[in-house]
Amino acid sequence: MIRRRFPWVSYLVVVTGAVLTVVPFLDMVMTSFKGAGEAGTLPYRFLPDAFDLSNYRAAIDQLDLPVLFRNSVIATAVITASVLVTSSLAGYALAKLRFPGRDFIFRLVLSTMMFPPFLFFIPHFLILVHWPLAGGNDLFGRGGAGLTVSIAALAMPFLVNGFGIFLMRQFMVSIPDEVLEAARIDGAGEFGVWWRIVLPQTRPVVLTLGLLTFVHAWNEYIWALLISTANPDVMTLPVGIQFLQDFVDPTRTMPIVMAGLVLSILPVLILFLLLQKYYIRGVMLSGLK
Amino acid sequence: MVNTLTPATTERAAPSTRSAGPVVDGRARVRRRQAVVAYLFLAPTLLFFAVFLILPLGFALLLSMSRWAGFDLGGIQPVGTDNFASLFADGSTFLAPILTNTLLFALGTVVLALAGSVVVATCIDNLRFQGLWRTLYFLPIVTTVVAVGNVWKFMYEPGGLVNGVLNTLGLGSVAFLQDPDTALPSVVVVHAWGSVGSAVLVLTAGLKSIPESYYEAAALDGAGPVAVFWKITLPLLRPSLLLVCITQFISGLQSFALITVMTKGGPGDATNVAALEMYRQAFLYGQWGPASAAAFVLFVVVLVVTLAQLWIFRRKEEDV
């Protein structure tokens, strides 16, 4: 085959590209083991003198890592669970139920994907500030800080995802109506049909959407930064590590920051390696990340 | 939580209504019940859209035409299009360098990521262990921007990896992020580096859909690999290339998290982009009005690109 005529050229290109991709990660790991005065000095050296674990210790101590980890886990778990449940319910309604206004709602869902996130930073923040009866607010949202100081604020703008609904709906359309009808004749209500028939059939899509949502939520930075500036108690891992640079011993800033980064990307990396098939399909279905 | 419970109650209520009434009404009743259930299933979503989509859009539009600082809703003063006018007034930094930077950032990313991913994707297509390669190329995509930004920021330092390589080659160190001339291209390289993985994925899928028979026919005609690439691969890859091109361009126009982490828009305004400017105006200086106006201008730019994308793809479908 003509495409296979110069395999060595292909290998050269692909391996070079892979090295360029992986080297920054290796540099991160290597730097995380470097001692005081060893990183960022001339001449540059790739390998550390000794594999010193004290930077990890320092990152964990300085960062209050358990709290950051807890906040990241709670926000990510709530977002992922909510996106999966709402996408699946709404997707089922839009794919398999007849009701007035269905086309309009489907178009609304599609149009939500068109609005860029930056358009919402200011109004979302102001809505959460004025959230009624939260954070010292009265019924009309006056007098307090609203939800901006609570961990709920990390998750709220991300609880429903238009792309998720679209994805579930497209997949559910292909489930044969006869299967659902049979279940209904057997006496199942719509909730039962959704729970017992539709959900088990959509497991691969649920995994794909769940993984995609998890990775996005875990890595989210700008919104979490906004919320944690108002209240450091709800800081997430990415934000905490960015702030870390201001606190640590300046001769060891980079090694400690890199140690923190390694710890923060580890959960996503492990999950991705285990379930990459589903993640990759998600990226293909969404066009691009 | 609420959304899983409410439909369950309708399910329980359903059998009691089923037995009553003549059979003729049955179908209408089933349809009506289905509509009620559908709206229950959609209730959390619609509530969310009302509070976090429609209300914010109206709010943002109102703010873009108001003067308002602080949080007291009573203090909002309508000022018409003043905020927009001042964005484009003489001496404003919004058009240049900020909007110019935004376009250069998006354009630079697209060119680099596209060139890189076309080369890599065509080559990967020839190899074994495609899954392994794709996984490696995917690492930047699953990594937080804080990690990507900090590692590269460190690599650009005088004692970092990039300058280390330059020094080994006998070249002097470059102050990549501190020099206004090199700062923007340096961040563009990082953003492109992070986007290649997903572009490779879309392009490999596009390559797989090209029928093998085209290549066999070309081989019979004695076409060389370069001719095959230009005459067969590239033209047939056009839909995937367009998709990558436009989605990357849109995400490039919007991105600022990487810049926030790496340069905070500096030195000066050398790497400042529209979304970052909006963010700074709003959350550093409390200027809700001008910030919202900037957000809408950027939104219009993104919208134009999105509509162009829809138009190009529709035309593409008509071609087929």
Side-chain angles (χ1 to χ4, degrees):
Chain A
M1 249 176 294
I2 191 144
R3 283 205 265 183
R4 307 254 153 94
R5 221 196 265 168
F6 295 104
W8 60 273
V9 178
S10 299
Y11 268 108
L12 193 69
V13 169
V14 172
V15 170
T16 309
V19 168
L20 288 177
T21 312
V22 175
V23 156
F25 288 94
L26 291 179
D27 194 45
M28 170 177 12
V29 175
M30 291 304 153
T31 307
S32 75
F33 292 119
K34 286 179 181 170
E38 217 190 307
T41 48
L42 292 165
Y44 168 80
R45 295 227 311 282
F46 185 65
L47 292 171
D49 285 342
F51 283 85
D52 185 357
L53 282 169
S54 67
N55 297 316
Y56 285 86
R57 183 78 259 163
I60 291 169
D61 290 345
Q62 278 290 343
L63 273 176
D64 205 356
L65 210 66
V67 173
L68 296 182
F69 205 81
R70 184 203 66 194
N71 291 340
S72 276
V73 167
I74 293 177
T76 305
V78 169
I79 291 170
T80 310
S82 169
V83 165
L84 287 180
V85 171
T86 55
S87 301
S88 171
L89 284 172
Y92 175 60
L94 291 172
K96 288 295 171 194
L97 299 178
R98 287 152 181 269
F99 58 95
R102 183 168 83 165
D103 292 345
F104 172 77
I105 294 175
F106 185 53
R107 265 185 225 125
L108 179 75
V109 168
L110 288 181
S111 72
T112 62
M113 290 190 266
M114 226 176 57
F115 296 107
F118 63 79
L119 202 56
F120 295 99
F121 287 139
I122 297 171
H124 278 173
F125 188 77
L126 293 173
I127 286 170
L128 292 180
V129 169
H130 292 283
W131 199 270
L133 300 175
N137 277 350
D138 62 16
L139 191 60
F140 302 99
R142 280 182 304 233
L147 282 178
T148 46
V149 287
S150 84
I151 198 166
L154 288 175
M156 287 198 73
F158 307 107
L159 290 179
V160 173
N161 182 308
F163 169 70
I165 298 173
F166 173 70
L167 187 66
M168 295 305 280
R169 188 242 172 216
Q170 295 309 85
F171 197 80
M172 287 171 177
V173 162
S174 62
I175 298 174
D177 282 328
E178 292 77 20
V179 179
L180 308 181
E181 211 44 60
R184 287 183 193 127
I185 289 167
D186 287 346
E190 289 304 330
F191 183 76
V193 173
W194 172 76
W195 177 252
R196 278 195 286 268
I197 313 289
V198 176
L199 266 192
Q201 294 225 25
T202 51
R203 199 174 299 154
V205 192
V206 169
L207 257 172
T208 295
L209 181 60
L211 200 59
L212 216 58
T213 313
F214 181 95
V215 173
H216 276 211
W218 186 267
N219 289 338
E220 209 288 324
Y221 174 62
I222 294 292
W223 179 255
L225 173 69
L226 250 180
I227 296 303
S228 358
T229 328
N231 178 16
D233 291 344
V234 299
M235 207 179 267
T236 59
L237 270 172
V239 183
I241 288 162
Q242 190 61 30
F243 276 126
L244 176 67
Q245 329 199 340
D246 306 336
F247 307 127
V248 292
D249 168 9
T251 64
R252 286 175 56 201
T253 310
M254 271 307 155
I256 294 176
V257 169
M258 294 301 157
L261 289 176
V262 171
L263 291 175
S264 79
I265 65 177
L266 225 45
V268 184
L269 228 47
I270 291 168
L271 212 62
F272 168 69
L273 290 177
L274 290 176
L275 299 167
Q276 49 166 309
K277 185 175 84 177
Y278 297 99
Y279 187 83
I280 285 175
R281 188 172 53 184
V283 173
M284 311 256 318
L285 288 168
S286 57
L288 280 172
K289 206 200 87 164
Chain B
M1 283 91 268
V2 177
N3 36 23
T4 50
L5 282 175
T6 30
T9 47
T10 36
E11 185 200 0
R12 236 176 287 126
S16 60
T17 50
R18 187 180 295 164
S19 53
V23 188
V24 209
D25 289 348
R27 190 166 288 169
R29 193 176 311 116
V30 165
R31 194 160 287 175
R32 200 173 336 120
R33 202 189 62 183
Q34 225 178 49
V36 171
V37 174
Y39 278 109
L40 280 173
F41 278 25
L42 283 162
T45 296
L46 293 176
L47 194 68
F48 179 89
F49 283 165
V51 177
F52 287 101
L53 185 84
I54 297 175
L55 179 65
L57 282 176
F59 202 10
L61 198 61
L62 173 74
L63 282 181
S64 72
M65 292 190 263
S66 309
R67 186 175 298 122
W68 186 36
F71 295 105
D72 180 12
L73 288 169
I76 301 179
Q77 292 170 24
V79 291
T81 53
D82 282 10
N83 292 326
F84 291 94
S86 58
L87 281 180
F88 296 102
D90 280 344
S92 156
T93 50
F94 186 72
L95 215 52
I98 295 169
L99 211 54
T100 321
N101 283 346
T102 312
L103 290 168
L104 286 175
F105 181 84
L107 208 63
T109 309
V110 169
V111 171
L112 285 181
L114 204 63
S117 56
V118 167
V119 173
V120 169
T122 21
C123 290
I124 277 191
D125 205 35
N126 295 343
L127 301 187
R128 289 148 165 261
F129 312 119
Q130 294 189 13
L132 171 75
W133 301 120
R134 273 204 299 260
T135 309
L136 288 180
Y137 281 104
F138 239 69
L139 286 178
I141 299 175
V142 289
T143 312
T144 163
V145 65
V146 174
V148 169
N150 277 296
V151 174
W152 276 89
K153 193 168 122 189
F154 182 52
M155 284 173 27
Y156 280 140
E157 297 274 301
L161 192 149
V162 179
N163 276 314
V165 172
L166 288 181
N167 295 342
T168 317
L169 296 172
L171 300 165
S173 295
V174 179
F176 288 99
L177 298 176
Q178 287 76 33
D179 182 340
D181 292 332
T182 52
L184 190 66
S186 303
V187 185
V188 165
V189 167
V190 181
H191 196 252
W193 172 84
S195 327
V196 165
S198 56
V200 164
L201 198 67
V202 174
L203 294 181
T204 13
L207 285 171
K208 292 229 181 303
S209 68
I210 300 177
E212 197 63 38
S213 55
Y214 288 24
Y215 291 101
E216 283 158 12
L220 284 177
D221 289 346
V226 177
V228 167
F229 180 76
W230 285 107
K231 298 245 165 72
I232 296 179
T233 310
L234 267 192
L236 289 170
L237 204 55
R238 214 182 83 178
S240 320
L241 285 171
L242 264 176
L243 178 73
V244 171
C245 206
I246 293 170
T247 40
Q248 294 280 17
F249 193 73
I250 292 172
S251 78
L253 287 175
Q254 301 179 24
S255 72
F256 71 107
L258 186 69
I259 295 173
T260 310
V261 171
M262 289 186 73
T263 63
K264 297 188 166 65
D269 266 334
T271 56
N272 198 2
V273 291
L276 177 60
E277 177 65 9
M278 176 225 94
Y279 189 86
R280 292 210 300 204
Q281 286 289 338
F283 298 107
L284 251 51
Y285 314 126
Q287 300 281 342
W288 304 120
S292 302
F296 267 102
V297 171
L298 181 57
F299 172 55
V300 169
V301 176
V302 172
L303 192 68
V304 168
V305 178
T306 310
L307 291 176
Q309 171 188 25
L310 289 174
W311 182 71
I312 290 171
F313 276 102
R314 191 158 300 158
R315 242 186 39 161
K316 189 69 212 150
E317 273 164 28
E318 280 164 11
D319 287 354
V320 176

